[in-house]
PDB file of all heavy atoms in Angstrom:
ATOM      1  N   GLY M  50       3.759  13.582  31.405  1.00  0.00           N
ATOM      2  CA  GLY M  50       2.699  13.549  32.370  1.00  0.00           C
ATOM      3  C   GLY M  50       1.302  13.724  31.812  1.00  0.00           C
ATOM      4  O   GLY M  50       0.287  13.684  32.635  1.00  0.00           O
ATOM      5  N   PHE M  51       1.141  13.616  30.566  1.00  0.00           N
ATOM      6  CA  PHE M  51      -0.256  13.752  29.960  1.00  0.00           C
ATOM      7  C   PHE M  51      -1.118  12.526  30.503  1.00  0.00           C
ATOM      8  O   PHE M  51      -0.608  11.400  30.583  1.00  0.00           O
ATOM      9  CB  PHE M  51      -0.218  13.570  28.383  1.00  0.00           C
ATOM     10  CG  PHE M  51      -1.492  13.453  27.736  1.00  0.00           C
ATOM     11  CD1 PHE M  51      -2.365  14.485  27.547  1.00  0.00           C
ATOM     12  CD2 PHE M  51      -1.975  12.165  27.284  1.00  0.00           C
ATOM     13  CE1 PHE M  51      -3.588  14.369  26.876  1.00  0.00           C
ATOM     14  CE2 PHE M  51      -3.197  11.959  26.711  1.00  0.00           C
ATOM     15  CZ  PHE M  51      -3.996  13.011  26.510  1.00  0.00           C
ATOM     16  N   VAL M  52      -2.356  12.833  30.864  1.00  0.00           N
ATOM     17  CA  VAL M  52      -3.160  11.773  31.429  1.00  0.00           C
ATOM     18  C   VAL M  52      -4.320  11.520  30.363  1.00  0.00           C
ATOM     19  O   VAL M  52      -4.970  12.418  29.884  1.00  0.00           O
ATOM     20  CB  VAL M  52      -3.869  12.317  32.761  1.00  0.00           C
ATOM     21  CG1 VAL M  52      -4.937  11.204  33.251  1.00  0.00           C
ATOM     22  CG2 VAL M  52      -2.895  12.552  33.786  1.00  0.00           C
ATOM     23  N   LEU M  53      -4.451  10.299  29.982  1.00  0.00           N
ATOM     24  CA  LEU M  53      -5.473   9.869  29.000  1.00  0.00           C
ATOM     25  C   LEU M  53      -6.897   9.602  29.747  1.00  0.00           C
ATOM     26  O   LEU M  53      -6.872   8.718  30.605  1.00  0.00           O
ATOM     27  CB  LEU M  53      -5.092   8.692  28.272  1.00  0.00           C
ATOM     28  CG  LEU M  53      -6.070   8.170  27.175  1.00  0.00           C
ATOM     29  CD1 LEU M  53      -6.183   9.275  26.125  1.00  0.00           C
ATOM     30  CD2 LEU M  53      -5.561   6.869  26.666  1.00  0.00           C
ATOM     31  N   PHE M  54      -7.740  10.595  29.588  1.00  0.00           N
ATOM     32  CA  PHE M  54      -9.115  10.372  30.234  1.00  0.00           C
ATOM     33  C   PHE M  54      -9.971   9.674  29.175  1.00  0.00           C
ATOM     34  O   PHE M  54     -10.413  10.371  28.264  1.00  0.00           O
ATOM     35  CB  PHE M  54      -9.642  11.706  30.668  1.00  0.00           C
ATOM     36  CG  PHE M  54      -8.993  12.303  31.862  1.00  0.00           C
ATOM     37  CD1 PHE M  54      -8.029  13.294  31.687  1.00  0.00           C
ATOM     38  CD2 PHE M  54      -9.307  11.972  33.068  1.00  0.00           C
ATOM     39  CE1 PHE M  54      -7.423  13.857  32.755  1.00  0.00           C
ATOM     40  CE2 PHE M  54      -8.735  12.581  34.229  1.00  0.00           C
ATOM     41  CZ  PHE M  54      -7.693  13.437  34.014  1.00  0.00           C
ATOM     42  N   PRO M  55     -10.270   8.394  29.305  1.00  0.00           N
ATOM     43  CA  PRO M  55     -11.090   7.723  28.260  1.00  0.00           C
ATOM     44  C   PRO M  55     -12.596   8.178  28.466  1.00  0.00           C
ATOM     45  O   PRO M  55     -13.008   8.475  29.451  1.00  0.00           O
ATOM     46  CB  PRO M  55     -10.951   6.279  28.680  1.00  0.00           C
ATOM     47  CG  PRO M  55     -10.704   6.209  30.150  1.00  0.00           C
ATOM     48  CD  PRO M  55      -9.881   7.501  30.400  1.00  0.00           C
ATOM     49  N   GLY M  56     -13.101   8.210  27.292  1.00  0.00           N
ATOM     50  CA  GLY M  56     -14.582   8.519  27.247  1.00  0.00           C
ATOM     51  C   GLY M  56     -15.226   7.791  26.003  1.00  0.00           C
ATOM     52  O   GLY M  56     -14.482   7.389  25.225  1.00  0.00           O
ATOM     53  N   PRO M  57     -16.488   7.717  26.032  1.00  0.00           N
ATOM     54  CA  PRO M  57     -17.126   6.953  24.886  1.00  0.00           C
ATOM     55  C   PRO M  57     -16.995   7.763  23.592  1.00  0.00           C
ATOM     56  O   PRO M  57     -16.863   9.045  23.686  1.00  0.00           O
ATOM     57  CB  PRO M  57     -18.655   6.881  25.399  1.00  0.00           C
ATOM     58  CG  PRO M  57     -18.719   7.981  26.359  1.00  0.00           C
ATOM     59  CD  PRO M  57     -17.499   8.223  27.017  1.00  0.00           C
ATOM     60  N   LYS M  58     -16.971   6.977  22.402  1.00  0.00           N
ATOM     61  CA  LYS M  58     -17.045   7.731  21.202  1.00  0.00           C
ATOM     62  C   LYS M  58     -18.471   8.048  20.944  1.00  0.00           C
ATOM     63  O   LYS M  58     -19.386   7.352  21.195  1.00  0.00           O
ATOM     64  CB  LYS M  58     -16.528   6.767  20.115  1.00  0.00           C
ATOM     65  CG  LYS M  58     -15.086   6.402  20.168  1.00  0.00           C
ATOM     66  CD  LYS M  58     -14.146   7.486  19.692  1.00  0.00           C
ATOM     67  CE  LYS M  58     -14.249   7.550  18.175  1.00  0.00           C
ATOM     68  NZ  LYS M  58     -13.550   8.552  17.515  1.00  0.00           N
ATOM     69  N   LEU M  59     -18.713   9.302  20.383  1.00  0.00           N
ATOM     70  CA  LEU M  59     -20.085   9.755  20.062  1.00  0.00           C
ATOM     71  C   LEU M  59     -20.495   9.288  18.680  1.00  0.00           C
ATOM     72  O   LEU M  59     -19.709   9.517  17.700  1.00  0.00           O
ATOM     73  CB  LEU M  59     -20.206  11.227  20.250  1.00  0.00           C
ATOM     74  CG  LEU M  59     -21.554  11.845  20.048  1.00  0.00           C
ATOM     75  CD1 LEU M  59     -22.539  11.268  21.062  1.00  0.00           C
ATOM     76  CD2 LEU M  59     -21.532  13.323  20.154  1.00  0.00           C
ATOM     77  N   VAL M  60     -21.586   8.650  18.495  1.00  0.00           N
ATOM     78  CA  VAL M  60     -22.133   8.224  17.273  1.00  0.00           C
ATOM     79  C   VAL M  60     -23.516   8.962  17.162  1.00  0.00           C
ATOM     80  O   VAL M  60     -24.222   9.136  18.189  1.00  0.00           O
ATOM     81  CB  VAL M  60     -22.457   6.677  17.302  1.00  0.00           C
ATOM     82  CG1 VAL M  60     -23.079   6.171  16.076  1.00  0.00           C
ATOM     83  CG2 VAL M  60     -21.070   6.005  17.533  1.00  0.00           C
ATOM     84  N   ALA M  61     -23.905   9.277  16.010  1.00  0.00           N
ATOM     85  CA  ALA M  61     -25.186   9.869  15.659  1.00  0.00           C
ATOM     86  C   ALA M  61     -25.768   9.209  14.484  1.00  0.00           C
ATOM     87  O   ALA M  61     -25.140   8.786  13.511  1.00  0.00           O
ATOM     88  CB  ALA M  61     -25.079  11.452  15.441  1.00  0.00           C
ATOM     89  N   GLY M  62     -27.139   9.062  14.594  1.00  0.00           N
ATOM     90  CA  GLY M  62     -27.919   8.417  13.475  1.00  0.00           C
ATOM     91  C   GLY M  62     -29.285   8.855  13.352  1.00  0.00           C
ATOM     92  O   GLY M  62     -29.817   9.598  14.211  1.00  0.00           O
ATOM     93  N   CYS M  63     -29.948   8.463  12.348  1.00  0.00           N
ATOM     94  CA  CYS M  63     -31.345   8.806  11.984  1.00  0.00           C
ATOM     95  C   CYS M  63     -32.149   7.583  11.836  1.00  0.00           C
ATOM     96  O   CYS M  63     -31.911   6.614  11.262  1.00  0.00           O
ATOM     97  CB  CYS M  63     -31.337   9.557  10.612  1.00  0.00           C
ATOM     98  SG  CYS M  63     -30.707  11.139  10.615  1.00  0.00           S
TER      99      CYS M  63
END
Side-chain angles (χ1 to χ4, degrees):
F51 172 81
V52 177
L53 182 64
F54 289 96
K58 294 280 289 174
L59 184 60
V60 174
C63 287

